[in-house]
Amino acid sequence: MGLSALAQPKTELYDLIKKCMFDSTGYSNVGDWAVGNAKKYPVKWKEDRIIMSDDTAINFYRMGSANITIKGKTYTDAAGQPVKWNIMLKGPRMGYSSFSIISSPSKDFTIKNTIDSLFGDNPFMAKLLKSCDGKSLAGYYYYEVKIPKKDIFFIKFSWISVNGNTALRIDCYDDWSKYAVKSDCPK
């Protein structure tokens, strides 16, 4: 194992997503960038600041990495190292409105991961809005998700598989930022 994987505490995928979702207040929210507050999220940030993007769908962003488990399991890549997970918070300067979590490829990941297979027995309600799972190489499931004490979020779980290695991508959007969801099926 690399030293960075040992130094960074493990966090469950569900717990990281829940921590990044906005608390239910009855008002529109944006997420806290947590600049200057490294302990707010279980993420190792590349920089302690937000960065302006040329992409208007992103506006500002903050990048980092996390040591993620899924239902308690740590996955490994083709070299036997722990899968690398990158997280990107995206949104206006006042706070993020969406975030993405992307894995490096692993032979241990399966395709067609549903929200149930990734969240396990944790408390949530989900409504499948769209799916694209007719091909084995790439696809997604797109849900409206409610976790107790959190605002409704829209989550797209997607995968791409090449030569027996599969990478996972989780895109999470609040009600306002969901316009940026890409819902075309992979060719």
Side-chain angles (χ1 to χ4, degrees):
M1 263 193 214
L3 290 176
S4 62
L6 291 173
Q8 195 171 3
K10 291 181 182 179
T11 186
E12 184 64 33
L13 177 64
Y14 171 88
D15 294 333
L16 178 60
I17 290 174
K18 181 179 176 184
K19 192 170 264 291
C20 291
M21 293 170 83
F22 315 145
D23 291 339
S24 290
T25 61
Y27 299 98
S28 292
N29 285 313
V30 289
D32 180 357
W33 291 108
V35 172
N37 184 4
K39 296 197 183 325
K40 182 166 176 84
Y41 304 111
V43 173
K44 182 179 178 190
W45 298 109
K46 289 189 179 185
E47 299 182 57
D48 194 24
R49 66 186 184 104
I50 60 172
I51 300 164
M52 193 164 143
S53 172
D54 294 332
D55 185 341
T56 56
I58 294 175
N59 293 316
F60 289 86
Y61 67 92
R62 189 166 189 206
M63 296 270 306
S65 60
N67 188 358
I68 294 176
T69 59
I70 298 175
K71 297 194 300 190
K73 182 176 178 186
T74 300
Y75 292 85
T76 56
D77 63 18
Q81 296 295 312
V83 165
K84 291 177 179 61
W85 293 89
N86 292 313
I87 182 166
M88 180 184 217
L89 307 178
K90 302 172 272 193
R93 185 178 202 91
M94 65 186 158
Y96 67 88
S97 56
S98 67
F99 58 96
S100 297
I101 302 169
I102 304 167
S103 78
S104 58
S106 172
K107 63 184 175 348
D108 299 332
F109 288 140
T110 59
I111 61 170
K112 301 183 182 183
N113 284 290
T114 64
I115 193 168
D116 296 309
S117 66
L118 296 170
F119 279 9
D121 294 333
N122 290 295
F124 70 91
M125 292 189 333
K127 178 169 59 172
L128 182 64
L129 299 176
K130 188 166 183 187
S131 65
C132 178
D133 60 1
K135 300 200 168 106
S136 61
L137 295 182
Y140 69 83
Y141 295 111
Y142 177 51
Y143 298 92
E144 179 180 302
V145 179
K146 178 69 173 129
I147 289 178
K149 299 182 181 170
K150 298 291 183 177
D151 282 346
I152 288 174
F153 252 71
F154 298 85
I155 303 179
K156 181 180 168 189
F157 294 101
S158 54
W159 65 87
I160 184 163
S161 189
V162 179
N163 296 328
N165 287 300
T166 301
L168 302 180
R169 179 180 176 122
I170 300 118
D171 294 298
C172 304
Y173 305 89
D174 70 357
D175 192 44
W176 178 82
S177 67
K178 70 180 181 192
Y179 76 88
V181 174
K182 293 177 176 50
S183 60
D184 294 340
C185 280
K187 301 280 183 242

